[in-house]
Amino acid sequence: MYMEKVRLGFACVLTCCFMACTQSPGSTDKKLETNVENLLAQMTLEEKIGQMNQISPWGEPTQIAESVRKGEVGSILNVVDPVALNALQQVAVEESRLKIPLIIGRDVIHGFKTIFPIPLGQAASFNPQLVEDGARIAAIEASSMGVHWTFAPMIDIARDPRWGRIAESLGEDSYLTSVLGTAMIRGFQGKDLSDPTSIAACPKHFVGYGAAEGGRDYASTFIPERVLRNVYLPPFEASAKEGAATFMTSFNDNDGVPSTGNRFILEQVLRKEWGFDGFVVSDWASVAEMISHGFCKDGKEAAEKAVNAGVDMEMVSGLYVNHIKELLNEGKVKMETIDNAVRNILRIKFRLGLFDHPYVDTNVPSVLYAREHLQKAKEAAIESAILLKNENGILPLTDKIRTIAVIGPMADAPHDQLGTWVFDGDKNYTRTPLKTLQEEYGDRIRILYAPGTAYTRDKQTSGIPAAVAIARQADIVLAFVGEEAILSGEAHSLANLNLQGAQSELIASVARTGTPVVTVVMAGRPLTIEQDAAVSQAVLYNFHPGTMGGPAIADLLFGKAVPSGKLPVTFPRTVGQIPVYYSHNNTGRPYQGNETLLDGIEPEAGQTSLGNTSFYLDAGNYPLYPFGYGLSYTTFEYGNLSVSSDRMKPSDELTVTIEVTNTGKYDATEVAQLYVQDCFGSVTRPVKELKRFTRIPLKAGEKKVVTFTLPVEELAFYNIDMKKMVEPGDFNLWVGPNSREGLQTSFVVE
Ligand code: BGC
């Protein structure tokens, strides 16, 4: 990579010792700021630059310790051994001149040891409390191993399933991402950042990374300021308001400016408009990567542009250490800029209480994989599963089932069901569907197993006949298919989203036996499964469900739990429809849904005989499954939608009520969703925007009146003058089970 060697051997100019300034609980920020200033006043330039330097272990531990001793390192990432960390911390707080503790970072993305569903899966729960609980557990486990800081939540709006990092996202919607992203921050940071079980959050990647051209990771984005402000920035603004301690810049360049050198987003938006007072870290080597972008000619210019834009800490490329001094001497960087960066970093170190408790206690019982953590991970996996199809109510399985054929490469894939970004989780703790079914039902039901293919990309078809043979003997086939963990996540983009390898052939072959097929998908992204769904009687979709995926799926299949997940992202029918998302603007010739598609076109049809609306001749515009979609074993009916008034002022609060009835046979939970359309604006507006959602537990036959309150000011957007305001006019409002269905009413804002 572009890593420049960290220059070692700075001379210590001052020799005085710093007595740790500690923040006692309840102390005011003023005291903390005084502590920061006192410390800053004693720092040499080299020590200041050291605080701005984050390293990943690059050599001998003794070399690293020497750097820490000299005050050349402010943060370390990717060390998770508590003994080694305590040893390094000891060097920092006992042997370095100013005794400033290190802040230890780690990617704790969806669990530390106990792995929860990938964030995209957690988003399908539409359950902020569950998401918060998951992050709390991750923080408890990670902090017990010496981690102070996670690089999460990832709150990039992701509207392109080719992009592998969609797995780490909370989906395509700005509001859902804001609600769930802030829930994660609360979970990581706990009630008080100085609690030893709290870890600093780092909303990332600031900003626009998910809009990578063509879904190719790291690719350029072209997001105009209005779209940035209306869609991509709100989750970050909500995170700043929630008190997120740090932010991470993104790899992409937007309209030609890499985020790591983007003064507008870092200085104007983040600091001036939102008043953020934590610190900003670059992404891995993203300062140096501004050279490849063609934005900087060398490491020195990259350091200059990053620090002047507002990147306080540099992750791993070492360019600040190598160049800031020279840049200061040349007047290209101001001392004030350096001081502000160091202030931001020290402020967070104080808030985390690192000066009070720099060490991790290694003499306490382990909290890793605690029973209640596993239980919560199972709950999360249950609520994250989305039932996409259930023909003739084939699910849940009844006690009439005598023989089950378990097939597919994901039935027993302990590593792969954990998903991407699992650095610490151990696959030996994973409970797979096959093992769970054997353990929990093996005494009553004959469970036959023939995977058909060895792994998801396996193109060999030689195992398919064995799968077909067990399908013939069974009452039902459970086909576990999907993606291996390596196929999603960073730098893992795909151009084809069909099931990989011979999986579709496997499903089709067993389906031809006539035995009903329940397809259970485990994947890191929406896949184009139209053909597979068509030959399956039921489809249960799980974004990689984590450690407890097996027990969660078994409970769902047998009706001990009822599916309640809803799609946090649109499922395209085919890759060519991408980007496809529910909250798009309208064209002047909107798709009607009844257009003649390819097969209906007469030979030599006249040029205008098909009409002139906006759609794909071969695929239409509707996705396979819309945002917000997800079935249950029961049925729900929505009735009596009403709004408090059909004429509102911008300062009013709208109250929306609706009756939701469980009209089926199972106790279940429905996620009711409220969408609004601002019909006419000074700029065109999305056809629908999610504004509220709520989970409603309903016993079979039960009816509840659900009330939503929505301040009209939440309908504000950045208008033609780039001012955030509610524009008077007509609005439509829907409440329903997904972004395509629901009861509709309207109101006017005067
Ligand atoms: C990723 C970040 C991650 C960082 C540290 C980068 O490659 O983009 O999301 O936090 O590495 O591991």
Side-chain angles (χ1 to χ4, degrees):
M1 302 272 286
Y2 319 94
M3 197 118 43
E4 287 194 9
K5 246 184 132 190
V6 178
R7 205 187 296 150
L8 303 173
F10 292 138
C12 287
V13 180
L14 296 175
T15 50
C16 63
C17 268
F18 172 71
M19 299 303 294
C21 304
T22 52
Q23 186 201 13
S24 56
S27 67
T28 61
D29 262 1
K30 210 168 155 207
K31 177 156 179 226
L32 188 146
E33 292 305 321
T34 310
N35 288 342
V36 169
E37 292 308 321
N38 286 344
L39 188 47
L40 189 68
Q42 299 174 68
M43 294 173 79
T44 63
L45 175 59
E46 288 79 2
E47 284 164 337
K48 289 177 184 174
I49 297 169
Q51 285 304 305
M52 299 165 73
N53 183 31
Q54 182 183 54
I55 61 163
S56 186
W58 75 89
E60 290 303 308
T62 48
Q63 252 184 300
I64 300 171
E66 188 48 24
S67 255
V68 172
R69 189 173 292 112
K70 287 181 183 153
E72 294 167 357
V73 177
S75 174
I76 296 184
L77 81 161
N78 294 340
V79 178
V80 279
D81 172 356
V83 175
L85 284 175
N86 277 346
L88 282 169
Q89 193 68 297
Q90 187 177 359
V91 174
V93 300
E94 291 180 30
E95 298 172 29
S96 79
R97 195 182 69 91
L98 291 179
K99 308 191 176 332
I100 303 174
L102 295 162
I103 177 171
I104 307 300
R106 183 69 165 169
D107 289 283
V108 182
I109 306 298
H110 51 109
F112 180 70
K113 287 286 182 184
T114 306
I115 300 301
F116 279 67
I118 56 172
L120 191 58
Q122 292 185 45
S125 74
F126 279 65
N127 186 342
Q129 188 58 53
L130 188 79
V131 169
E132 180 177 336
D133 293 346
R136 186 86 286 274
I137 286 169
I140 290 170
E141 292 194 358
S143 61
S144 80
M145 297 294 279
V147 174
H148 306 137
W149 176 26
T150 176
F151 305 118
M154 188 185 109
I155 49 174
D156 298 317
I157 299 303
R159 295 179 163 178
D160 191 333
R162 291 173 296 185
W163 190 51
R165 300 199 82 168
I166 196 170
E168 291 171 64
S169 82
L170 295 164
E172 74 182 40
D173 186 63
S174 195
Y175 175 71
L176 181 64
T177 299
S178 300
V179 173
L180 300 182
T182 48
M184 274 193 186
I185 292 167
R186 283 194 297 280
F188 288 133
Q189 298 198 163
K191 289 205 171 60
D192 184 339
L193 210 49
S194 71
D195 185 293
T197 68
S198 293
I199 59 178
C202 184
K204 68 186 189 185
H205 304 85
F206 197 54
V207 60
Y209 185 35
E213 247 190 346
R216 288 181 302 278
D217 204 5
Y218 316 126
S220 297
T221 62
F222 297 93
I223 312 172
E225 184 181 340
R226 197 179 341 274
V227 181
L228 201 63
R229 288 187 179 278
N230 284 332
V231 178
Y232 289 84
L233 287 172
F236 287 96
E237 183 173 11
S239 299
K241 286 207 180 109
E242 192 62 50
T246 70
F247 266 54
M248 183 188 289
T249 61
S250 56
F251 284 128
N252 59 300
D253 65 311
N254 187 42
D255 194 16
V257 184
S259 297
T260 301
N262 191 330
R263 226 174 173 143
F264 169 68
I265 59 162
L266 295 173
E267 197 178 287
Q268 170 62 29
V269 176
L270 182 62
R271 299 284 177 193
K272 294 207 176 117
E273 295 180 22
W274 301 346
F276 177 69
D277 72 355
F279 72 86
V280 174
V281 66
S282 76
D283 201 346
W284 184 281
S286 69
V287 178
E289 287 174 13
M290 291 199 290
I291 304 168
S292 297
H293 273 293
F295 190 66
C296 305
K297 69 175 184 309
D298 54 24
K300 184 174 161 193
E301 192 183 353
E304 176 190 339
K305 285 196 170 160
V307 78
N308 282 338
V311 176
D312 303 313
M313 184 182 280
E314 187 196 13
M315 189 186 282
V316 306
S317 25
L319 299 179
Y320 282 7
V321 171
N322 285 349
H323 300 294
I324 283 187
K325 202 171 177 182
E326 195 183 342
L327 289 165
L328 265 166
N329 290 338
E330 291 171 5
K332 290 181 175 155
V333 171
K334 292 198 190 101
M335 195 62 199
E336 192 194 341
T337 307
I338 303 302
D339 283 347
N340 279 337
V342 177
R343 276 187 188 102
N344 295 335
I345 294 164
L346 294 178
R347 186 175 296 124
I348 296 306
K349 289 189 173 183
F350 276 112
R351 281 188 191 154
L352 275 167
L354 293 179
F355 290 87
D356 285 334
H357 46 80
Y359 300 115
V360 52
D361 192 347
T362 51
N363 291 319
V364 289
S366 172
V367 294
L368 308 176
Y369 296 112
R371 195 192 309 171
E372 57 276 23
H373 297 181
L374 293 169
Q375 182 53 35
K376 194 51 88 174
K378 179 179 168 186
E379 251 175 66
I382 287 174
E383 290 195 15
S384 300
I386 310 116
L387 183 65
L388 295 177
K389 179 176 180 183
N390 194 19
E391 212 169 75
N392 304 324
I394 192 161
L395 289 177
L397 302 177
T398 66
D399 49 16
K400 294 201 183 87
I401 299 284
R402 293 276 164 264
T403 306
I404 294 179
V406 174
I407 67 163
M410 291 299 286
D412 196 25
H415 169 82
D416 290 313
Q417 78 176 51
L418 297 180
T420 187
W421 277 115
V422 174
F423 282 168
D424 301 292
D426 180 348
K427 69 172 183 180
N428 291 315
Y429 284 80
T430 302
R431 296 197 53 200
T432 67
L434 175 70
K435 294 275 156 52
T436 311
L437 290 170
Q438 286 168 339
E439 280 160 26
E440 295 184 6
Y441 297 91
D443 58 343
R444 277 160 285 161
I445 298 173
R446 224 171 119 226
I447 295 170
L448 308 173
Y449 174 54
T453 69
Y455 54 99
T456 67
R457 285 161 299 138
D458 186 3
K459 295 196 176 84
Q460 295 287 332
T461 52
S462 52
I464 294 181
V468 169
I470 63 165
R472 288 215 171 88
Q473 300 171 49
D475 303 313
I476 193 130
V477 177
L478 300 180
F480 292 90
V481 295
E483 287 184 311
E484 295 149 73
I486 191 68
L487 298 185
S488 59
E490 186 174 353
H492 302 157
S493 299
L494 284 173
N496 175 354
L497 300 181
N498 292 340
L499 285 172
Q500 297 286 334
Q503 295 183 97
S504 289
E505 193 176 333
L506 172 67
I507 296 175
S509 304
V510 294
R512 278 194 291 271
T513 64
T515 308
V517 178
V518 173
T519 293
V520 182
V521 186
M522 291 190 234
R525 54 159 69 75
L527 294 172
T528 46
I529 53 164
E530 187 166 20
Q531 298 312 319
D532 315 292
V535 297
S536 307
Q537 272 64 45
V539 178
L540 184 68
Y541 209 94
N542 307 264
F543 295 111
H544 289 129
T547 307
M548 295 297 282
I553 290 169
D555 277 10
L556 287 162
L557 293 174
F558 282 92
K560 287 188 190 164
V562 177
S564 61
K566 301 277 187 169
L567 293 178
V569 61
T570 305
F571 270 46
R573 294 180 55 204
T574 171
V575 163
Q577 286 183 316
I578 299 170
V580 55
Y581 53 94
Y582 84 93
S583 190
H584 59 85
N585 291 355
N586 241 338
T587 68
R589 296 178 175 189
Y591 181 55
Q592 303 298 312
N594 57 3
E595 282 82 350
T596 307
L597 299 188
L598 221 51
D599 292 341
I601 302 174
E602 298 296 327
E604 301 194 353
Q607 158 77 29
T608 55
S609 63
L610 306 177
N612 285 302
T613 59
S614 164
F615 72 107
Y616 294 109
L617 282 178
D618 50 354
N621 282 12
Y622 290 142
L624 184 56
Y625 303 110
F627 174 87
Y629 179 80
L631 302 171
S632 171
Y633 294 154
T634 193
T635 44
F636 299 103
E637 251 176 50
Y638 287 72
N640 288 333
L641 172 64
S642 72
V643 288
S644 45
S645 165
D646 56 8
R647 304 200 81 80
M648 308 291 297
K649 299 213 164 41
S651 55
D652 289 346
E653 192 169 79
L654 190 65
T655 306
V656 181
T657 56
I658 189 151
E659 285 172 10
V660 185
T661 311
N662 180 343
T663 49
K665 288 192 297 232
Y666 296 86
D667 299 349
T669 295
E670 167 69 332
V671 180
Q673 302 157 42
L674 185 157
Y675 296 87
V676 173
Q677 178 188 26
D678 185 348
C679 302
F680 312 100
S682 60
V683 292
T684 57
R685 304 286 296 125
V687 294
K688 268 185 187 179
E689 289 177 290
L690 182 70
K691 291 292 176 188
R692 288 289 183 271
F693 58 84
T694 186
R695 290 175 62 85
I696 317 156
L698 287 165
K699 300 246 176 269
E702 190 184 3
K703 177 197 287 185
K704 274 187 191 157
V705 176
V706 181
T707 304
F708 296 99
T709 50
L710 179 66
V712 174
E713 64 183 24
E714 284 192 41
L715 304 175
F717 66 99
Y718 285 87
N719 70 3
I720 189 78
D721 302 317
M722 208 59 84
K723 293 224 166 61
K724 190 175 181 186
M725 61 179 289
V726 182
E727 290 188 343
D730 299 342
F731 289 79
N732 287 325
L733 181 148
W734 297 258
V735 181
N738 60 59
S739 62
R740 278 276 293 283
E741 298 168 272
L743 300 183
Q744 184 183 346
T745 184
S746 55
F747 61 94
V748 172
V749 174
E750 295 171 328

